[in-house]
Amino acid sequence: MKTFYALLLVAARASLEEEVASLRAEMKAQKELIETQQAMIKELQPLGRQLQTWVTQAQLTAAVTALQNTDYNLGGALDSAWLCLCGALVMFMHAGFGMLETGSCRAKNASNVLMKNLVNVCVGTLGWWLFGWAFAYGAQNGNGFIGTTGFAGFDFYTQDQTTGVITPSSCTADGCQSVMLMWFFQWAFCTAGATIVSGAVAERVKSPTYAIFAFFMASFIYPVIVAWTWGGGWIATVLDVGYMDFAGSGVVHLTGGVAGLAGTVVLGPRAGRFTNPEEFECHNLPLVVLGTFALWFGWYGFNPGSTLAMHDGATGAMAAQVAMNTTLAAATGGITVFILRFAIQKKYDVGGLCNGILAGLVSITAGCGNMECGSAFATGLIGAFVYQGGSMLLQKLKIDDPVDAAPVHGFCGIWGVLACGLFDWGKGFDYYHGWSGFGCMPVSTTDSSCKPGLGGSAIGAQFILIIMVIIWSGSLSAITFLLLKLTGTLRISEEVEAVGMDSHHHSPPKAYSLNAGAGAAGGTGSGSAPLGVLPSAPAGSASNPKDAWGAKADPV
């Protein structure tokens, strides 16, 4: 028995010795692994110190600044592409003005109307470059009335006096736009405002005289109104809330409409306008329609482009909202005037439809950036009634406006400025959005909560804008036209007016030949007139060629 226990102890001892040996082997392996890892860590320590040395605070700040500058430059490139495109669209509106005015007037003055539109752009450009930009957007040095720097492109960029290297713009979180970019975009607005006047005084004003007025309009009358408003002048902060005119119902259209009204009143009506009205109907309705479509198309540069930027999602969303509101108001204004004219005349009036579209566009231009689409519909609807009432008022007062420039741009411009305040996004009349767009006007720069009690002040600011534009543009334009009238250089002679300015002053003497279709190719002798030109009345028919067509539309 003792021998048995002895054998068990020997076996147990041998098993324990084997386990101890196994544990020692594992510990040795772990020790070797730890030593290997320590050696690797020791080798990596210099690299770790190198990484820590490279990422210093200054270098991190420099890297972040470089990324920000890249972002700012990309935003600046987007802004530049956007404003160049929109400025070109606004410039294309001159083609619309030219076609609409030419078609609305008589064929014997077509070349002269087209020339005045071209001269208006050229002369207005020089006026804007020499004086207009400086008065509108130059540094006001606290006067709040007019700019005093930037004449003839001076100081548009920074130039190193030693090397001559030019720095065209500086980039910040607000964008990376050059002065030249804004000069180009705002130039398109300036010349568009001056062109409004040309339609109101068409067919009886002397061309050199109108060129003088267009220069004065682009270099002083319009820029001062811009200085008060878009240029950050006194109306921008009036009543502690400031005006709101997103794209220019008041600043551009009312300014041009009032100036045109002053011009047509001083000039007086065309000879026979209210004794033989059928002789003054638009001679080429296709041109009127083409001009209307061109203007509507250009308005998508006029209104959406007035975001003045396209470097982030917020400005993109605002441009889309503006485009939608613009479209709704134009369509609503056009179809409303069309229905009103049909109710009055019992005939379709395409010219009225065209001017109704323009009335809706002018009406929405001020508030397209601070109202929702239902309000845009209401703005266009009411604008149609404003235009129709204004057109009938001028007829009643025997004021001769060949293209209804004053009702479209002046009367609807007034309504557009008022609608901008009345239909503002702000809740009720207590809160106001204005230039804040989708957000409300804050209490202060440090308190972003909505500031209450602004509704009344906002409407008051809109009235101040309207009154000041009428006083400034109306009085200066009237004085200018009166001075030109007193010198005998304003109106053409009765002889020229009777035969037409094209045959008396232009070469060739006709914009197009009314008999160009006679003896058509192939000797058919069909005598069909060219597209868009009314044929001569056949023998024994009514003396007015339009009577042969059975069309008697109101003047556009």
Side-chain angles (χ1 to χ4, degrees):
M1 194 68 178
K2 290 181 178 179
T3 303
F4 175 74
Y5 283 120
L7 291 172
L8 286 175
L9 288 172
V10 171
R13 182 177 179 180
S15 177
L16 288 173
E17 288 178 351
E18 289 179 359
E19 290 183 6
V20 170
S22 176
L23 289 172
R24 285 176 177 173
E26 289 182 7
M27 290 178 65
K28 184 179 179 181
Q30 290 292 331
K31 182 178 180 181
E32 292 176 352
L33 179 62
I34 291 171
E35 289 176 351
T36 301
Q37 291 176 341
Q38 286 177 340
M40 293 175 64
I41 291 173
K42 189 175 182 180
E43 291 177 359
L44 292 173
Q45 279 179 346
L47 181 60
R49 287 194 294 271
Q50 290 177 9
L51 290 172
Q52 293 171 5
T53 303
W54 186 80
V55 188
T56 63
Q57 182 63 44
Q59 290 172 321
L60 178 62
T61 301
V64 172
T65 301
L67 289 173
Q68 287 178 335
N69 288 335
T70 300
D71 183 58
Y72 296 159
N73 275 283
L74 178 59
L78 291 172
D79 288 349
S80 296
W82 173 245
L83 289 181
C84 284
L85 171 63
C86 291
L89 286 175
V90 177
M91 194 276 170
F92 185 70
M93 292 174 71
H94 287 289
F97 281 121
M99 296 300 97
L100 187 144
E101 291 176 20
T102 302
S104 298
C105 295
R106 291 168 292 181
K108 63 183 180 180
N109 295 313
S111 291
N112 187 262
V113 171
L114 291 170
M115 184 195 72
K116 285 212 318 304
N117 277 268
L118 289 168
V119 169
N120 178 87
V121 178
C122 296
V123 171
T125 298
L126 295 177
W128 179 248
W129 174 64
L130 289 170
F131 305 106
W133 167 266
F135 289 147
Y137 291 102
Q140 297 184 9
N141 297 320
N143 66 63
F145 181 81
I146 194 171
T148 57
T149 60
F151 295 96
F154 188 74
D155 285 341
F156 272 26
Y157 42 72
T158 303
Q159 186 173 18
D160 188 281
Q161 296 300 318
T162 303
T163 64
V165 174
I166 294 173
T167 303
S169 62
S170 59
C171 299
T172 66
D174 294 326
C176 191
Q177 299 179 4
S178 67
V179 178
M180 294 78 77
L181 176 67
M182 292 306 300
W183 183 95
F184 169 74
F185 183 72
Q186 299 297 343
W187 154 80
F189 279 64
C190 173
T191 52
T195 301
I196 294 170
V197 183
S198 70
V201 299
E203 295 198 284
R204 72 269 203 205
V205 69
K206 289 185 176 180
S207 299
T209 301
Y210 176 75
I212 293 172
F213 176 81
F215 183 85
F216 185 56
M217 180 80 173
S219 60
F220 188 67
I221 296 177
Y222 171 81
V224 171
I225 292 175
V226 173
W228 297 346
T229 51
W230 293 338
W234 68 276
I235 298 182
T237 57
V238 68
L239 301 182
D240 295 326
V241 63
Y243 78 104
M244 173 60 186
D245 189 355
F246 189 82
S249 287
V251 176
V252 179
H253 294 283
L254 179 56
T255 299
V258 171
L261 180 61
T264 192
V265 169
V266 173
L267 269 169
R270 291 166 290 177
R273 171 63 183 88
F274 296 104
T275 55
N276 301 300
E278 68 281 353
E279 296 179 4
F280 294 84
E281 294 172 350
C282 55
H283 85 275
N284 195 319
L285 201 54
L287 285 184
V288 174
V289 174
L290 177 63
T292 301
F293 273 121
L295 287 168
W296 192 348
F297 179 72
W299 233 285
Y300 292 114
F302 207 98
N303 286 5
S306 292
T307 58
L308 302 182
M310 188 53 73
H311 57 258
D312 55 32
T315 51
M318 176 55 68
Q321 178 72 33
V322 169
M324 179 176 68
N325 285 347
T326 300
T327 305
L328 282 171
T332 304
I335 204 66
T336 302
V337 172
F338 188 63
I339 293 172
L340 288 174
R341 291 285 177 91
F342 183 79
I344 295 171
Q345 302 173 359
K346 306 303 179 185
K347 289 183 179 180
Y348 299 129
D349 188 345
V350 179
L353 174 59
C354 290
N355 271 355
I357 291 171
L358 299 180
L361 288 167
V362 172
S363 298
I364 196 61
T365 296
C368 56
N370 70 318
M371 65 173 67
E372 49 86 30
C373 56
S375 297
F377 168 81
T379 299
L381 180 69
I382 298 173
F385 283 90
V386 171
Y387 159 69
Q388 181 62 31
S391 180
M392 295 172 70
L393 178 62
L394 292 193
Q395 295 281 341
K396 184 72 173 177
L397 297 176
K398 297 189 182 303
I399 296 175
D400 183 15
D401 186 343
V403 297
D404 267 357
V408 169
H409 300 278
F411 293 11
C412 289
I414 292 173
W415 162 240
V417 174
L418 292 178
C420 175
L422 293 171
F423 294 146
D424 181 83
W425 256 320
K427 186 177 181 181
F429 282 95
D430 199 33
Y431 297 103
Y432 190 67
H433 284 209
W435 290 107
S436 299
F438 295 113
C440 61
M441 188 171 286
V443 173
S444 64
T445 55
T446 58
D447 186 354
S448 60
S449 59
C450 297
K451 185 176 182 179
L454 293 178
S457 298
I459 299 298
Q462 300 302 93
F463 272 107
I464 291 174
L465 172 61
I466 292 169
I467 293 170
M468 291 309 302
V469 169
I470 293 174
I471 292 175
W472 180 261
S473 180
S475 61
L476 287 183
S477 298
I479 291 171
T480 304
F481 281 117
L482 280 171
L483 289 175
L484 293 170
K485 184 177 182 178
L486 291 175
T487 60
T489 58
L490 181 61
R491 183 163 181 150
I492 60 176
S493 66
E494 294 181 1
E495 177 190 358
V496 174
E497 188 171 356
V499 300
M501 284 186 277
D502 287 4
S503 63
H504 204 277
H505 293 302
H506 289 261
S507 177
K510 292 182 180 180
Y512 34 66
S513 175
L514 294 178
N515 298 318
T524 60
S526 63
S528 59
L531 180 63
V533 180
L534 296 176
S536 300
S541 66
S543 59
N544 180 13
K546 291 190 176 183
D547 290 344
W549 286 71
K552 287 188 177 181
D554 274 359
V556 178

